[in-house]
Amino acid sequence: MTQMTDKTIAVVKGLIMDGVAKANSGHPGGAMSSSDYATILFSEFLNTNPDDTKWFNRDRFIMAAGHESMLLYSLLHLNGLLSLDDLKEFRQLGSRTPGHPEVNETPGVEATSGPLGQGFAVSVGFAAAEAHLRDKLGSDVMDHYTYAVSCDGDIQEPVALGAASLAGLWGLGKLIIYYDSNKIQLASPCSQVDCTDHRKVFEGMCWQVLEVDGHNQDEIRAAIKEGQLETGKPTLIIGHTTMAKGCATMEGSHKTHGSPLSTEEISATKEKLGLPAENFYVPEDVVANFQSRFDGLRKNAADWQAVVDEKLGDPEFASMWKEVTMPRSERKIDWPEFTPGETMATRKAWGACLNSVMESLPTLVGGSADLDPSNQTQHFRDTYGDFGVTGYGSRNLAFGVREFPMAAIMNGLQLHGGLMPFGATFLTFADYCRNAIRMSALQKLPVLYVFTHDSFWVGEDGPTHQPIEHVSSLRLIPDLIDLRPADAMETAVCLDIAITQEEMPSTIFLTRQGLPVLDPAEYPAVTDGPRKGGYVLKDCDGTPDLILIGSGSEVALCLETAKVLKRKVRVVSMPSTKLFDDQPESYKNEVLPPEVTARAAAEAGRTPLWYKYVGLNGVVLGLDHFGASAPGKILSDKYGFTPENFARMIREKY
């Protein structure tokens, strides 16, 4: 075993060097120092289905140190999932081997792990999903491990430690993360930037911590087995390794972190490793040995399927299995009704919607970043308990004051499959979540971000808590649905859009202040119009003299302003600029006829985006400065968010 393992590891290191050299770009050093652990894990421990990379109960592996992608691709080649030609196209346009692992580009890649820290946090989401579904489906159906390879830079990112704290609290015993501690990062030795005792830190966060020589095969195997035996705590295996282990002259050099090795260094290293000089060398015996477990893995998968087929005879299991496997787009949800004319904050409408549908959506899981009463998730939490604290079957995820870990963990929950995650906080804290939101969009993950307290109407908490630029900023992220409903009716439609979405994440922006509930008898389009992003809420006879466009709380302002103006006015509600922009040009011209150039828009946030819809000479009522600490109504008057002031601005222009 040792001789063949040595040979396999050498071959993997040869592929890493050759792939990076051919691309003239990449990170060979860390990939080589992690090769011993990753090769043993893939060849001896991972439980997968060789014929189905999406088999539901497969062990999940996340390359959290995404710059070590060439290591993962080399192992996927030995698994038969990538060809040598794929490896030769490393980092090239259109290849299946991009610079960092991309979940939608490469078979066998579980998560897009680019920004350091997030792969670690995402793995916590995977493990949480496994634990919850194990409780719901039974350990004979869901019992896989989640493995990840992390690195020094990965651990330095605070998002990793925030997620680690939750993993420890939740007791995710089937999470095993290998920390390749080669003590070198891109620009320097780690000693120049870090003095952390990671054993103490992780043990303090309720992890089992094991330390091994990361190049000792027996210690690696023993640590993985010990991690598997610990069922009440996640396991961190700290592998003390040497950067670019095996290199002829550059072992331990930070110069190997982010640059290809020279031709001379590669040649000398191959000789040292006992490899021939040829590039992309993969002998048949290494492949055969690596795949020697395949028949047994196939039998495991077949036995698992037989268990599922038998359990489908149980109506309770069959019902839950249907929920777990149902495409989101096929869901038909009965949303609550609201009383026209009442005043209700859209955050309360969200809470009412959540409370109404949570029983009929048993795979809906999520929670708040320590803002349950404000985010209207308190009843959900009280009803279903806190995951990992009151039980793995509990559906509320109490994230604490950890917005970035919350968002990254949600990505892991969604990537795992079988669950519909949501997370809530104040809109001003969206900046903490932002890079994970971007990763949601990049990976086509339909997670739901609930952001309440969406404008200066937050009031007395002051400018630190009053979002100004946040909605416009989030709209800059491609393939992210922005939803800012005008009232309770639109809130329900917007939530239906988000919950039934298959490939795009959604951000919903909700008010603290009350808004009038629109009457479908007077505004019939409100019941379905939001699905197209923007729609005619109230029209006039004939061609309008003026079009008013509003979003969220400013739709009511537009309706009142139309009354003050006493002109032929069309009022357009635009809860989602993304969905509106995606409509056919013919529809957009129906809503905003090009011949009607007198236009005005209102939104309690930054103004530049709205000139896209009103024209460069149009009128935009917004906020391009920070707020102040005062009651919301006083700020509304001060900043001119009144029908009288909006009408004055329009009259002065048109």
Side-chain angles (χ1 to χ4, degrees):
M1 175 69 77
T2 299
Q3 185 175 1
M4 179 53 72
T5 304
D6 285 342
K7 184 175 182 179
T8 303
I9 293 169
V11 167
V12 167
K13 290 180 178 179
L15 292 174
I16 291 168
M17 292 187 292
D18 289 340
V20 173
K22 187 173 189 303
N24 195 29
S25 174
H27 301 72
M32 294 176 74
S33 66
S34 300
S35 291
D36 299 86
Y37 176 85
T39 302
I40 289 170
L41 178 69
F42 267 71
S43 62
E44 300 178 28
F45 289 93
L46 277 187
N47 182 28
T48 60
N49 182 346
D51 304 318
D52 182 6
T53 60
K54 298 300 183 183
W55 177 49
F56 197 55
N57 195 38
R58 67 191 181 279
D59 285 342
R60 269 51 166 197
F61 174 81
I62 296 92
M63 180 57 83
H67 55 282
E68 297 185 12
S69 57
M70 196 60 207
L71 167 58
L72 176 57
Y73 299 149
S74 299
L75 296 171
L76 292 178
H77 168 68
L78 295 180
N79 256 338
L81 297 175
L82 291 175
S83 67
L84 276 180
D85 285 340
D86 288 325
L87 301 191
K88 293 174 184 178
E89 290 298 304
F90 180 52
R91 291 191 165 218
Q92 304 309 300
L93 181 65
S95 78
R96 298 202 297 173
T97 51
H100 288 72
E102 303 284 350
V103 68
N104 297 310
E105 301 294 335
T106 312
V109 169
E110 300 284 2
T112 297
S113 49
L116 288 175
Q118 287 196 61
F120 189 111
V122 160
S123 71
V124 174
F126 273 98
E130 186 279 332
H132 182 73
L133 291 172
R134 181 170 12 113
D135 182 275
K136 299 297 183 183
L137 300 172
S139 59
D140 51 352
V141 171
M142 179 57 57
D143 70 339
H144 70 78
Y145 289 95
T146 298
Y147 298 96
V149 165
S150 190
C151 65
D152 292 293
D154 207 40
I155 298 289
Q156 287 172 28
E157 285 287 355
V159 64
L161 296 181
S165 180
L166 287 170
L169 172 69
W170 295 340
L172 298 178
K174 305 204 81 171
L175 173 63
I176 301 174
I177 295 183
Y178 177 75
Y179 165 28
D180 182 60
S181 179
N182 58 45
K183 303 171 183 62
I184 295 290
Q185 50 201 79
L186 190 146
S188 69
C190 294
S191 59
Q192 289 185 218
V193 297
D194 196 13
C195 65
T196 305
D197 185 330
H198 290 99
R199 170 181 278 278
K200 289 181 180 178
V201 169
F202 277 81
E203 286 181 342
M205 293 191 294
C206 307
W207 284 59
Q208 171 180 240
V209 180
L210 308 173
E211 295 191 65
V212 300
D213 175 347
H215 305 304
N216 184 306
Q217 297 170 19
D218 291 336
E219 289 187 21
I220 290 170
R221 293 186 183 99
I224 296 173
K225 292 174 182 176
E226 193 171 345
Q228 292 174 336
L229 290 173
E230 174 54 75
T231 60
K233 295 180 179 181
T235 295
L236 182 74
I237 301 173
I238 301 177
H240 295 286
T241 61
T242 301
M243 176 66 97
K245 178 67 174 178
C247 272
T249 68
M250 297 187 71
E251 280 191 358
S253 171
H254 72 269
K255 294 180 181 179
T256 67
H257 182 286
S259 300
L261 303 179
S262 68
T263 301
E264 294 76 16
E265 182 71 17
I266 292 174
S267 178
T269 299
K270 286 183 176 181
E271 183 177 356
K272 177 181 176 181
L273 294 173
L275 298 174
E278 71 179 86
N279 291 332
F280 297 96
Y281 169 72
V282 182
E284 292 183 2
D285 60 340
V286 165
V287 175
N289 182 72
F290 201 89
Q291 298 182 7
S292 62
R293 300 167 59 235
F294 277 16
D295 287 344
L297 293 175
R298 290 187 176 99
K299 183 178 185 307
N300 287 342
D303 291 346
W304 175 89
Q305 187 61 56
V307 169
V308 172
D309 292 343
E310 181 179 353
K311 293 187 72 168
L312 285 172
D314 175 3
E316 184 176 349
F317 175 85
S319 176
M320 189 62 191
W321 184 252
K322 180 181 178 181
E323 292 290 336
V324 167
T325 57
M326 179 188 297
R328 295 169 67 116
S329 58
E330 294 181 8
R331 294 190 177 275
K332 305 299 180 185
I333 304 168
D334 292 326
W335 298 99
E337 296 182 357
F338 299 96
T339 304
E342 285 190 352
T343 297
M344 176 180 285
T346 53
R347 65 163 175 151
K348 289 192 175 181
W350 140 253
C353 288
L354 175 64
N355 296 341
S356 176
V357 305
M358 61 188 188
E359 185 175 352
S360 63
L361 295 175
T363 59
L364 184 68
V365 299
S368 168
D370 196 46
L371 292 168
D372 301 87
S374 297
N375 292 154
Q376 300 293 302
T377 59
Q378 185 66 55
H379 182 64
F380 182 81
R381 180 177 187 172
D382 292 343
T383 302
Y384 294 112
D386 288 333
F387 171 81
V389 177
T390 58
Y392 291 126
S394 300
R395 291 167 55 186
N396 184 77
L397 295 156
F399 292 108
V401 189
R402 300 183 182 91
E403 294 87 355
F404 192 3
M406 173 181 76
I409 287 171
M410 286 161 56
N411 286 341
L413 291 165
Q414 185 65 54
L415 283 162
H416 180 279
L419 299 175
M420 298 187 295
F422 73 87
T425 187
F426 288 175
L427 177 55
T428 193
F429 304 142
D431 286 342
Y432 290 149
C433 308
R434 185 180 179 85
N435 201 266
I437 297 173
R438 182 177 184 271
M439 296 299 289
S440 300
L442 183 63
Q443 297 176 87
K444 301 181 179 180
L445 304 178
V447 298
L448 171 60
Y449 295 92
V450 179
F451 295 122
T452 68
H453 297 61
D454 73 342
S455 74
F456 67 80
W457 279 93
V458 170
E460 292 87 343
D461 274 340
T464 60
H465 283 52
Q466 294 169 10
I468 303 299
E469 75 281 13
H470 299 73
V471 174
S472 286
S473 174
L474 288 167
R475 286 175 178 148
L476 296 175
I477 298 176
D479 300 325
L480 174 66
I481 301 175
D482 57 309
L483 299 164
R484 191 166 185 251
D487 77 327
M489 298 284 188
E490 278 198 1
T491 300
V493 181
C494 287
L495 287 170
D496 193 75
I497 292 169
I499 294 296
T500 58
Q501 180 59 226
E502 291 283 4
E503 290 193 340
M504 286 189 287
S506 298
T507 51
I508 188 164
F509 311 114
L510 304 168
T511 67
R512 177 180 185 247
Q513 78 276 20
L515 300 175
V517 178
L518 298 171
D519 187 349
E522 184 177 1
Y523 308 107
V526 72
T527 59
D528 208 44
R531 296 185 189 281
K532 292 187 176 181
Y535 65 100
V536 179
L537 177 66
K538 181 177 175 59
D539 213 352
C540 59
D541 294 331
T543 302
D545 299 325
L546 171 72
I547 298 176
L548 299 183
I549 309 170
S551 151
S553 51
E554 284 63 63
V555 172
L557 173 62
C558 287
L559 291 171
E560 291 302 312
T561 302
K563 295 175 184 177
V564 172
L565 286 169
K566 298 179 180 178
R567 298 186 193 178
K568 293 171 64 177
V569 178
R570 170 178 290 183
V571 176
V572 171
S573 176
M574 195 174 290
S576 175
T577 59
K578 163 65 177 171
L579 294 179
F580 182 74
D581 290 347
D582 285 349
Q583 298 305 312
E585 201 66 27
S586 58
Y587 174 78
K588 289 185 282 189
N589 288 337
E590 285 179 19
V591 176
L592 303 175
E595 65 270 19
V596 182
T597 58
R599 301 180 184 182
E603 183 174 61
R606 291 300 304 271
T607 60
L609 170 143
W610 290 101
Y611 289 100
K612 175 180 180 180
Y613 304 104
V614 302
L616 294 179
N617 294 317
V619 174
V620 179
L621 172 62
L623 211 62
D624 289 320
H625 57 79
F626 293 118
S629 179
K633 180 62 173 67
I634 291 175
L635 295 177
S636 177
D637 292 339
K638 176 178 174 59
Y639 300 145
F641 281 77
T642 65
E644 294 74 20
N645 181 63
F646 195 22
R648 177 192 60 77
M649 293 172 63
I650 293 167
R651 289 193 190 104
E652 289 178 356
K653 186 71 175 182
Y654 304 114

